[in-house]
Amino acid sequence: MKFKLNTLLPTGAAMACLAVSSLAWSQDAFPNKSISLVVPFAAGGPTDVVARMIAIPMGKALGQTVLVENAVGAGGTIASAKVARAAPTGYTIFIHHMGMSTAPALYKKLSFDPLNDFEYVGQVVDVPMTLLARKDFPPTSFAELQTYLKANGNKVSLANAGLGAVSHLCGLLFMSQVGVELNTIPYSGTGPAMNALLGGQVDMLCDQTTQTVPLIKDSRVKVYGVTTLNRLAALPNVPTLNEQGLKGFEVKVWHGMYAPKGTPAPVLEKLNAALRVAMQDPQVKQRLTDLSSDVPPLDKISAAGLKTHLEAEIIKWGPVIKKTGVFAD
Ligand code: ASP
């Protein structure tokens, strides 16, 4: 059977109209099934804690379940690449921290581009870090710690969550500023790393207050300092590393929420609205305050706010990391 061109046109036009209207319908109907919120580190760690905290109010606001999916490995870069390749429908979203801005300097061959493979939903939370040791680690002060580390060097184990994790970055900056080389042990997240610290299998860990505040308050770990320039309300007796001599030592872990490039604007708007509801949820705000974490101002919980911040952070951390000479092929 031969079709003449003009008999095809109405069919073609009809098909096009059908496609546009079904696309519009699917965006209007979004979400009509559960949404996967990918977390690039193991369950129980600080990123997972934040994800599970906001998944519930986001799900309520969207009328669908937001399911947390842990996709671990390579300091969060495996999950980043997975989300970059996911279908841009809004049903796969991603929460990641400042590792999104340090990965380009740490990995020579990165299988995703933080600035071109994602849409931006908004900034999520800023979290300070704490420098810890296992409870029975000998040094009892920061001054003693520096002396001990200089004498024992790589006999001391420092856990982290892999190249690109903030525990890795904090450790890197700490070692270079103190002038020591410790034996770094990577885990799939600082959830498992913390278990190793609590079990005495590793000596030290730099981790976020979203996981460490309760453990410090219960004296289950030894804490030497916080990585903010001012002391934390939740840990008033813990000095900053800056005031103990590591001048200007500051690592505050910002987090962002992303979707695959090409996710339609109406879908992104719904995701952003749900994220804003979650970040204004009284229980979420109180829990984050108790964990010394800050909810960003509403103008930063936006696509533009996150993209601008990410661009600035990539520029900021590139030279810092290059100076340490650390990178992965
Ligand atoms: N935030 C990571 C986690 O949740 C740890 C890290 O980046 O150091 O495991």
Side-chain angles (χ1 to χ4, degrees), residues 39 41-42 44-48 97 129 160-161 164-168 188-192 206-208 253 255:
V39 169
F41 297 102
T47 308
D48 186 69
H97 57 38
M129 300 190 84
N160 64 41
V166 286
S167 46
H168 164 267
S188 58
T190 49
C206 187
D207 197 18
Q208 298 168 66
V253 186
H255 294 67

Side-chain angles (χ1 to χ4, degrees), residues 59-101:
K60 282 199 187 105
L62 290 163
Q64 288 291 342
T65 308
V66 174
L67 294 169
V68 170
E69 177 194 340
N70 301 87
V72 302
T77 55
I78 288 175
S80 303
K82 169 189 166 87
V83 174
R85 290 191 300 271
T89 58
Y91 291 103
T92 301
I93 55 178
F94 186 42
I95 182 169
H96 194 8
H97 57 38
M98 59 194 285
M100 204 66 154
S101 65

Side-chain angles (χ1 to χ4, degrees), residues 141-152:
S141 71
F142 187 67
E144 274 184 32
L145 174 68
Q146 293 184 83
T147 309
Y148 185 92
L149 295 183
K150 283 175 181 153
N152 292 280

Side-chain angles (χ1 to χ4, degrees), residues 1 8 37 46 50 153 173 198 208 232 267 271:
M1 179 189 294
L8 278 181
L37 173 56
V50 172
L173 298 176
L198 293 170
Q208 298 168 66
L232 301 174
V267 170
L271 290 168

Side-chain angles (χ1 to χ4, degrees), residues 130-133 140 216 221-226 235 238-239:
T130 48
L131 184 66
L132 309 175
T140 56
I216 292 167
V221 291
K222 193 169 271 185
V223 61
Y224 293 104
V226 295
L235 299 169
V238 180

Side-chain angles (χ1 to χ4, degrees), residues 118-323:
F118 299 91
E119 303 293 351
Y120 305 92
V121 179
Q123 286 194 49
V124 179
V125 67
D126 292 342
V127 183
M129 300 190 84
T130 48
L131 184 66
L132 309 175
R134 56 185 164 80
K135 204 174 161 189
D136 54 358
F137 197 54
T140 56
S141 71
F142 187 67
E144 274 184 32
L145 174 68
Q146 293 184 83
T147 309
Y148 185 92
L149 295 183
K150 283 175 181 153
N152 292 280
N154 64 10
K155 289 201 281 298
V156 176
S157 54
L158 173 66
N160 64 41
L163 194 61
V166 286
S167 46
H168 164 267
L169 177 69
C170 178
L172 203 61
L173 298 176
F174 171 73
M175 288 188 285
S176 64
Q177 210 157 333
V178 171
V180 292
E181 193 61 44
L182 308 182
N183 172 23
T184 55
I185 316 277
Y187 289 82
S188 58
T190 49
M194 183 59 79
N195 291 337
L197 188 78
L198 293 170
Q201 283 98 40
V202 289
D203 297 318
M204 294 187 70
L205 170 65
C206 187
D207 197 18
Q208 298 168 66
T209 56
T210 30
Q211 170 159 241
T212 65
V213 164
L215 297 170
I216 292 167
K217 288 190 166 178
D218 290 349
S219 305
R220 294 184 58 198
V221 291
K222 193 169 271 185
V223 61
Y224 293 104
V226 295
T227 64
T228 41
L229 296 181
N230 301 307
R231 292 196 181 199
L232 301 174
L235 299 169
N237 302 323
V238 180
T240 69
L241 295 178
N242 176 60
E243 76 184 74
Q244 297 182 92
L246 289 196
K247 283 298 161 221
F249 194 100
E250 184 182 21
V251 181
K252 199 161 182 188
V253 186
W254 61 272
H255 294 67
M257 186 171 283
Y258 306 83
K261 190 76 178 175
T263 303
V267 170
L268 291 170
E269 280 152 27
K270 288 185 180 177
L271 290 168
N272 174 266
L275 176 60
R276 285 167 168 246
V277 166
M279 298 316 293
Q280 300 305 309
D281 178 282
Q283 280 183 311
V284 168
K285 289 178 84 170
Q286 186 55 55
R287 183 129 180 255
L288 288 174
T289 301
D290 295 345
L291 296 173
S292 284
S293 303
D294 300 325
V295 175
L298 272 180
D299 66 310
K300 292 199 171 196
I301 309 180
S302 66
L306 174 55
K307 181 157 196 219
T308 307
H309 189 68
L310 176 61
E311 287 166 341
E313 288 283 294
I314 289 174
I315 292 166
K316 169 185 166 187
W317 286 106
V320 174
I321 288 166
K322 281 205 171 50
K323 204 170 80 177

